[in-house]
Structures are given as C-alpha cells and as structure tokens.
Amino acid sequence: MSGAALLDRLGDRLSGLRGRMTPDAGMDKITWFRAGGPADALFQPADEEDLAAFLKAVPEDIPVTMVGIGSNLLVREGGIRGFVVRLSAKGFGQAEVVSDTRIRAGAAIPDKRLAAAALEAGIGGFHFYHGIPGGLGGALRMNAGANGVETKERVVEVRALDRKGELHIFSNADMGYAYRHSSVPKDLIFTSALMEGYPEDRETIQKEMDAVQHHRETVQPVREKTGGSTFKNPPGTSAWKEVDKAGCRGLTIGGAQMSPMHCNFMINTGTASGYDLEYLGETVRARVLEHSGIRLEWEIKRIGEFREGRRIDRCWGKCSEVACGFLHDAENLPNCGARDPDPCQVAPRGCSRSQSVKFSEN
C-alpha cells in the first residue's frame, strides 16, 4: 500500500494530530547506514499526548514501527509497511535537571547530549553516553552501555505508551534488564526516563568524557557510515575477536564492509544497499560459527521487507562437517528459532544438504 493510500484509508481519524506526517518516507535519509527502502508513512508526534492520540486512532491491524535516531538500524530494501514513528527532537529531545543527582530526559535526546547535560549539572555516571552513537530510547530498550557502565545503572523509571496509546510507568526492576536487553513488551514506545547519577565535579566528568572520545576515535570508524557494533559480545569473549579470528576483518560484499579498523563495525563504503549489509552480516555469522562454534547475535536492529528477488537466504562460506551439522540442526543451536516472522536462512557454500536453519532476529 502506498503512503497516500494508507492515509486515505484512515481519512479523518488522523485529522486532530499536531505532529508531522510524511507519506512514502525515505528511510535511507534517517539511518546512519544511509541505506534502506521507504516507509509507507512516517509520523513524528508533537509530544506524548499527540503520540497517544495517534496510537488510539490507528487500527491495530496497521503495523506501527518505532525507530530512534537511526544509528543502530538496518532497513531492508523492500521498505516498511504501515507507519514508522520517530519521536521529534522538539517534543522528546529535552533534558531537565530535577535534583542534584537526577535528570528527566526525553527518549529522543541523543546519548551524547544527555552526557553533556549531566556534565553541566555536575552529575557523574553519564560519561559513557558520550561514546554511544544513539538516542536514549534505544539505550532504554537495549540497555546500551560502554566503558564498563550500562543504562540499567542510571534508570530510575521509564514512561512508555503501548499500542493502544495507554501510558505505563516502569521502575528499574520492571524493565527486566540484562546484557543488551530489556524484557518489557516490544510494542511499547518509550517517551522519557528519570535517570540518576551522583555528585561529581565537572573537571573529573570532562576528563572521563575526553577519555571516552579518545578511545572511540582511536579504535572505531567514527567518520564512516556505520551502525555501531554489529554483533553482541558472546559470553567469555568479544565479538570483534571472533570476527577477526574467522578472517572477516575487511570482508566486503558489494558496498558493505567489515571495518578494517574495528571488525565488529559494519560500514557502508558508499554504495551499499540494505541487502549488501545484511548479506555481509549473515556471512560473518556463518564463518564465525564454522570457525569457533559461536553463534553471534545481531546487535543492529534489522527491520522491513526484502525486495522481491533479493531475500537473504544463504550465507556463502566454506562449510565443514561440524559446522554443517550445527547449521542444519536447530536443536543443536541454543536460542535459535524462527521467532521473527521474516527470519533469514543460512546455509554456507559447500553444504550438500538442502535444509537450512532459520536464524532468529536477535
């Protein structure tokens, strides 16, 4: 359905909204990869009340997909059906210091701006956000962290709207945080959070932020079109080490490349499509599984539909007998399963069997 047809279907139901509605919105202009197909329609609500009205007005059979600032996001070439919601900076991008140790921040505030607000207020514990290329909403969802600190250590409570537009307030314990994970329902849209740090002098905070920035510029491809860390760190090791040991540093497919500088960062060298990027990621996963027996989980969120004839259903790479046994026997692969309605199938080159395992969209 085109964006215009979608909006025509809803007619006057959306007439009272105050936010910005864009039909057939190009997601390549939003994602930091600068790749991806269009959304049927993009809605940027004016504030929490406007977002609640939108969610109540849109029938539940029409998909609503939430995106943040696009830093850790890969959109497939076929685009996104229904509505994409992206919180506006004006309505959701502010930070308010409410006590000597607490900040209430909107979910659209960039992590770097949150760190700056804490610095100005003399509140410690937020320096790690200076090095995270994302927004607070995504950090709340995935328990983002860096430099030995995680979001869960700063959260007091989180405000969120469900698909029906109803408000919920979650405590830190309610969020169910674990490594790069929260257990609250996936259809919730976070709108703001109350965060807590501790008193610290500005000079110390600035030094911590400078150290974070120096580290990023030294070891990460910060000037490339990238989505940040591609894979979560497996237990007991680092994702980049396993990618490197599998010979995937600098590996290139089309315009997509595993960065030679930091091989857990996937970059668009200039011409990459969403297809190139996801194909490369699944190829790396297959090669790491073959080399070390470790199944890497995506940290980058992949959404949208495959373009006709461009579905990612194979990862090319030499397949040993051991790797083949794991790849084609889902029972031997912990946490593997088709939990997403549109999973990728992986069957490395050289495998004589036709069956393939469906990787989940983790």
Side-chain angles (χ1 to χ4, degrees), residues 26-83:
M27 296 299 293
D28 58 339
K29 296 178 176 63
I30 293 176
T31 69
W32 287 21
F33 277 125
R34 290 296 183 259
D40 288 344
L42 171 68
F43 179 60
Q44 295 174 275
D47 50 33
E48 187 180 81
E49 182 182 1
D50 195 40
L51 174 59
F54 166 80
L55 293 168
K56 291 174 181 178
V58 176
E60 292 190 45
D61 65 313
I62 296 178
V64 173
T65 302
M66 177 66 202
V67 303
I69 65 176
S71 60
N72 200 35
L73 182 67
L74 192 162
V75 178
R76 294 172 176 137
E77 294 175 301
I80 305 170
R81 303 288 71 81
F83 288 98

Side-chain angles (χ1 to χ4, degrees), residues 205-221:
I205 298 172
Q206 186 64 66
K207 287 180 179 178
E208 292 172 333
M209 290 170 62
D210 290 345
V212 169
Q213 184 68 22
H214 176 73
H215 174 76
R216 286 195 70 224
E217 292 180 349
T218 302
V219 303
Q220 297 177 7

